[in-house]
Amino acid sequence: MSKAIVVYYSLEGNVDFVAKKIAQELGADTLRLETVKEYPKSGLMKFFHGGKDVVAGVKPELKTQVPSLSDYDTVVIGCPVWASKPASPVSTFLDTVDLAGKKCFAFASSAGGNAVKCLDIMAAGIKGKGGAFEGAQSFVNPLKKQEEALAKTQEFVLKIKQA
């Protein structure tokens, strides 16, 4: 198996839950993206700030030091869906990396269930950085629907291993 890393941003823990399960199953490293200025984690301001940033194309400064990905063959990128788009910290990450020669996968977590546009944007971002986009998976409220999330994680990991 190739060496893999799971890179993700998680606000409320849903993406964190899935990312850790994927990494565990793959024997992969993890890199949790954190921003210098934290986003609100609850209430109306959470939706306002996150949605405003993705709509305006804001790419927040990362507190996380992003290492070279040269040692990795496979990169799995995950985030929550904000206003039908990937959370802004993932856009910052994609701006800073070179994915040439990497097999890349994406996953997204939402409360509403429709992550298609978000995953399409992530796929385009991956391809724009030279990565080979191999597949994606969406999750709905993984912390509330853990059994369903774990089943989808198993299917997704199988796709990753077969790529």
Side-chain angles (χ1 to χ4, degrees):
M1 171 96 195
S2 64
K3 188 164 180 177
I5 186 169
V6 179
V7 179
Y8 67 99
Y9 175 76
S10 185
L11 185 65
E12 297 177 313
N14 285 289
V15 174
D16 185 67
F17 174 77
V18 174
K20 287 178 177 174
K21 296 296 181 190
I22 292 169
Q24 181 182 10
E25 292 294 320
L26 291 175
D29 294 335
T30 59
L31 178 68
R32 182 177 180 151
L33 302 173
E34 294 182 38
T35 55
V36 170
K37 183 179 178 186
E38 291 187 26
Y39 285 95
K41 290 185 171 40
S42 62
L44 188 58
M45 295 311 284
K46 171 184 83 170
F47 297 106
F48 174 76
H49 286 289
K52 174 185 67 69
D53 279 5
V54 296
V55 169
V58 171
K59 295 180 179 149
E61 183 180 353
L62 296 178
K63 180 170 38 173
T64 307
Q65 288 286 71
V66 178
S68 166
L69 299 178
S70 61
D71 291 342
Y72 299 98
D73 302 307
T74 303
V75 180
V76 181
I77 304 168
C79 68
V81 178
W82 290 357
S84 299
K85 297 180 179 182
S88 297
V90 168
S91 296
T92 303
F93 168 76
L94 285 171
D95 272 359
T96 64
V97 295
D98 177 6
L99 297 173
K102 312 288 181 208
K103 291 180 185 176
C104 298
F105 297 83
F107 71 94
S109 171
S110 68
N114 191 346
V116 173
K117 183 176 177 184
C118 173
L119 292 168
D120 287 346
I121 293 168
M122 290 176 74
I126 288 166
K127 291 174 188 175
K129 296 306 275 187
F133 182 71
E134 301 284 340
Q137 181 65 57
S138 66
F139 295 87
V140 179
N141 292 321
L143 289 174
K144 292 180 182 174
K145 301 177 180 182
Q146 290 188 15
E147 192 172 308
E148 178 184 318
L150 291 173
K152 283 186 168 188
T153 299
Q154 292 293 327
E155 291 173 23
F156 189 45
V157 166
L158 186 58
K159 288 179 193 175
I160 296 168
K161 288 180 176 180
Q162 292 174 343

